[in-house]
Amino acid sequence: MISVLGMLLLVGCPGTSSVPGDPSFPGDDAADSVLWLRFGLVGDTHITDSESPARQVRVDNMIMPAAGSWRPQEEYAPHVLDATVRLLNDIHAGDGRAARPLDFVMFLGDATDNAHYNELRWFVDVVDGRPVLNDSGEPDGRYRDVAREDNPKLSFQPEGLDVPWYVLYGNHDALAAGVFAIDRSAENPLDWFAPIPPVYNLLVGVKNMVPTASVSPAVIDGLGAPMLPETYQLDLKALRRGTVVPDDNRRFISKMDFMAEFFNSESQPSGHGFTDENLEQDKASYSFRPKADVPVRFVVLDTVAKNPYFMFPAHYGSVTVEQLLTVLKPEFDAAKAAGEYVILFTHHPSEDFNLPGSEPLISTGIFRKYLTEQPNMLAHFCGHTHLHKVNMIEGTYSYPEIQTAALIDSPQEGRIIEVRYDAGEEAVLLSGSAFSHIQNPTRLSETSHTLAEIDAVVIEAYGGQSVSDDAKALEDFYDIGPVTDSSAKSCTELPPREFVLKLNRPDYTFTQP
C-alpha cells in the first residue's frame, strides 16, 4: 500500500501548492472605478457531532451518495471556522497591512453536517464568539491521549466575527446526513428519525437514523475514531455496535428551528437575514440591501429539495415553480422599480436543478434563461460542491455563476468579493480572490488542513467518489438519463480561484448612489 507521505509526494498536496496570499483585486487600478461593496463568502462548514449514533460512517465513499460520511478532519471543523473568522477579522481591520473593510460575510449553507441542534448551536457560538465544547453525550474528549493544545474536543474560546453576517439553508441543515428526509411527524423532536433505504440497512446497521438513541451501529466516542495508520481513513474492522450516552441536544432540527436559532445570536444583524415573516411562513428565502447608498439588492433563495420522498437521496438542489413566481420574479421586479442590481445567493449550483421532486420544478435551463433575461442581474453565488468554479451563463444578459469551496474539505478556502462601478466603461466590475485560514492558522486548524489534504489525496488515489462524480451517480441512481438539457449547456467555464469580470448593462438605468 502506498503510504500517505508517498501519495502526497506523488500527486502533491491540494492545499499547499495553491495557498492564497493576501486577496488582490486588479479592479483597484481602474481609474474611474468606485468601490460599491466588499464581502466574504464562506462555503460549507459541516460542523459535525462525530459521536452521533445517526451517522452512516460505515458506507463512507462506498455507495452513492455517501461520500463524505466520515472525514479524518471532521472533529476540527469548529476550529477551522474560528480560524477563518479570525482571518476575516484581520482582512476587515488590516492587521498590519492595508485594511479592506468588509460590508458583510455570507455563509453559503451546510452550517451543520447532520441537521443536529448541537451542531447548529456550535456554529452560531463560534461565529458569535461564545465558548464551544464540541463534545456530546458523555464529555469524554478530555481523556484523549494527546497534548491539551492538540485536542479538538476541549472547550475553547472563539474570537467571533466583527462584521455583519448572513446565512443560507443547505441540504445538510435540512436532511439526515444531508441526504435523507427526516420524519418529523412526532410531536416531540426527540422522537424524530430518518428512515434509510433497504440497500443501506445491512451496510449501516440500522433501519432508521435516530440521533437521540442510546445505541449506535458504529460507536465513535470522544477519544476519536479508529483510523488506518497508512491512510488516515476509518478502520471499518475496528468499528463496533454498542451503547452510547444519549444527548437531547443531538436531536434533528426543522427548517423553523434552523431559522429561529439565528435570533439567539449576539452578533448582527438580528436573525442573520431571516425575519419574523420567514418564521411565520416557514420559508428560508429573503433579500437584503447592505448599504443604502449602493444600488445592489441581494436575494437569498432556498434551493433545498422541497418535501422529498422518504428513503430517496435528496441532496441535490431544486427551485419550484412557486418560488419562481413568488420569490424570484417579485424580487427582480422590485429591484427594477427601485433602480437596483441583483446578486443571487443559493446553496446549490443550478447545474443539478433537473432532478425529480415532489412539487412542480423549473429546470436548469429555465432557471438560467430567466436570469439571463433580467437586465439588472449581476451574479449568482453558491456552494454545495466543495469546489471553486466559475461559469459564465450566456444569454441576453450573461452573468457568472460562482461556486465557492468548502471549509470542511481541502483546500478549505473562501472568497473575498468586490463590486465596483466603472463610470468610464459604464460597467460593473466583479472581482474575486480566494483566501484560507492556513494563511494564519491556529494550531488545531492547521492540523485539520493537513488531514483534509491527506483525505483528498487518498480518495483520489483509491478511486473514492468525489463531489464532481455526483451528477453521474445521480443519473445512475434514478435511471433518468443525463441531468442536463441543451439550454443548460450555454455556459463557459472560467478560471476558478481568481477573477475580474466586467458586466455591461447599457440599457439598464440604476439609481445613482
Side-chain angles (χ1 to χ4, degrees):
M1 180 176 290
I2 304 174
S3 69
V4 169
L5 176 60
M7 284 187 287
L8 290 174
L9 292 174
L10 180 65
V11 304
C13 299
T16 55
S17 61
S18 59
V19 173
D22 292 341
S24 60
F25 298 92
D28 290 350
D29 300 327
D32 296 325
S33 72
V34 176
L35 178 64
W36 275 0
L37 292 159
R38 182 186 295 114
F39 57 92
L41 297 177
V42 179
D44 309 38
T45 55
H46 286 258
I47 303 298
T48 304
D49 180 357
S50 60
E51 302 173 50
S52 170
R55 304 188 68 199
Q56 49 180 2
V57 298
R58 290 186 181 276
V59 294
D60 179 42
N61 292 316
M62 288 174 54
I63 183 172
M64 192 290 294
S69 296
W70 178 89
R71 299 173 172 92
Q73 69 271 20
E74 63 189 18
E75 295 177 328
Y76 298 82
H79 299 276
V80 174
L81 177 57
D82 176 47
T84 300
V85 164
R86 291 170 185 268
L87 182 60
L88 286 166
N89 287 340
D90 290 347
I91 293 170
H92 178 67
D95 189 34
R97 55 186 181 269
R100 291 184 176 275
L102 299 171
D103 295 300
F104 67 91
V105 171
M106 174 61 75
F107 292 95
L108 293 167
D110 285 1
T112 70
D113 185 68
N114 202 9
H116 285 15
Y117 173 76
N118 58 353
E119 296 174 341
L120 178 59
R121 193 61 248 171
W122 294 337
F123 173 88
V124 175
D125 286 345
V126 170
V127 187
D128 266 1
R130 291 194 260 190
V132 171
L133 172 64
N134 63 317
D135 198 354
S136 65
E138 180 186 358
D140 53 355
R142 63 184 184 273
Y143 301 123
R144 187 172 292 199
D145 188 21
V146 295
R148 181 176 181 84
E149 61 269 23
D150 294 323
N151 190 343
K153 285 286 189 174
L154 299 180
S155 179
F156 73 102
Q157 177 61 58
E159 182 171 296
L161 189 58
D162 293 338
V163 299
W165 55 278
Y166 298 84
V167 69
L168 277 159
Y169 190 48
N171 55 294
H172 279 264
D173 305 314
L175 307 169
V179 177
F180 297 117
I182 298 168
D183 188 332
R184 299 182 175 94
S185 59
E187 183 177 351
N188 189 343
L190 298 180
D191 297 326
W192 292 352
F193 66 94
I196 58 177
V199 68
Y200 271 51
N201 291 346
L202 292 177
L203 295 173
V204 176
V206 294
K207 292 183 178 180
N208 300 312
M209 299 169 70
V210 186
T212 55
S214 59
V215 175
S216 172
V219 175
I220 296 176
D221 58 25
L223 302 181
M227 291 189 289
L228 298 169
E230 302 91 346
T231 61
Y232 286 85
Q233 296 300 291
L234 195 61
D235 184 353
L236 296 177
K237 293 181 179 179
L239 286 176
R240 61 178 178 82
R241 181 182 181 87
T243 60
V244 295
V245 176
D247 189 333
D248 289 355
N249 285 329
R250 286 185 183 134
R251 64 186 181 274
F252 282 134
I253 56 174
S254 65
K255 184 190 298 184
M256 182 78 72
D257 295 330
F258 180 84
M259 295 187 293
E261 202 61 29
F262 290 98
F263 289 87
N264 184 14
S265 167
E266 298 176 353
S267 49
Q268 295 299 316
S270 175
H272 299 288
F274 300 121
T275 65
D276 290 340
E277 185 177 356
N278 288 112
L279 298 179
E280 291 167 3
Q281 298 181 356
D282 197 23
K283 294 183 178 180
S285 300
Y286 61 90
S287 65
F288 65 100
R289 181 169 168 171
K291 295 175 75 172
D293 60 347
V294 172
V296 179
R297 173 185 299 229
F298 291 87
V299 176
V300 174
L301 182 67
D302 172 17
T303 55
V304 173
K306 315 302 184 292
N307 301 314
Y309 302 111
F310 287 123
M311 297 192 290
F312 280 83
H315 52 301
Y316 54 87
S318 68
V319 176
T320 65
V321 173
E322 180 189 15
Q323 286 180 298
L324 174 63
L325 298 177
T326 65
V327 179
L328 283 180
K329 188 176 186 303
E331 289 286 4
F332 273 96
D333 289 348
K336 291 170 192 172
E340 298 170 334
Y341 289 106
V342 172
I343 290 177
L344 179 66
F345 290 121
T346 66
H347 175 63
H348 299 84
S350 65
E351 62 196 28
D352 60 349
F353 288 175
N354 284 326
L355 291 162
S358 61
E359 299 184 18
L361 304 176
I362 63 172
S363 67
T364 295
I366 292 174
F367 177 83
R368 292 176 173 178
K369 184 175 186 295
Y370 175 79
L371 294 182
T372 59
E373 291 174 347
Q374 309 310 309
N376 55 341
M377 174 64 184
L378 288 183
H380 173 196
F381 291 99
C382 49
H384 183 64
T385 62
H386 297 204
L387 303 170
H388 285 315
K389 190 175 182 181
V390 180
N391 284 333
M392 184 60 71
I393 309 301
E394 299 162 3
T396 304
Y397 301 101
S398 298
Y399 68 90
E401 182 175 299
I402 300 165
Q403 300 174 28
T404 296
L407 283 197
I408 189 62
D409 287 324
S410 184
Q412 297 188 336
E413 292 179 353
R415 295 188 192 270
I416 301 295
I417 304 297
E418 287 191 355
V419 182
R420 293 176 170 269
Y421 182 69
D422 189 327
E425 295 285 340
E426 295 186 340
V428 176
L429 300 179
L430 190 71
S431 54
S433 182
F435 71 90
S436 173
H437 68 94
I438 201 63
Q439 294 167 235
N440 188 22
T442 65
R443 185 181 182 96
L444 291 171
S445 81
E446 186 172 22
T447 299
S448 174
H449 191 266
T450 299
L451 291 171
E453 289 180 332
I454 293 172
D455 193 44
V457 171
V458 170
I459 290 172
E460 182 69 23
Y462 288 91
Q465 185 181 34
S466 67
V467 178
S468 60
D469 298 325
D470 218 27
K472 180 61 171 68
L474 283 166
E475 293 169 20
D476 294 341
F477 186 90
Y478 286 107
D479 191 25
I480 59 173
V483 295
T484 57
D485 57 35
S486 58
S487 57
K489 297 176 182 177
S490 56
C491 65
T492 302
E493 189 166 349
L494 303 174
R497 297 182 69 255
E498 317 285 333
F499 59 84
V500 179
L501 303 172
K502 182 187 297 184
L503 303 171
N504 293 100
R505 300 289 188 263
D507 54 351
Y508 181 68
T509 303
F510 65 90
T511 302
Q512 291 282 353

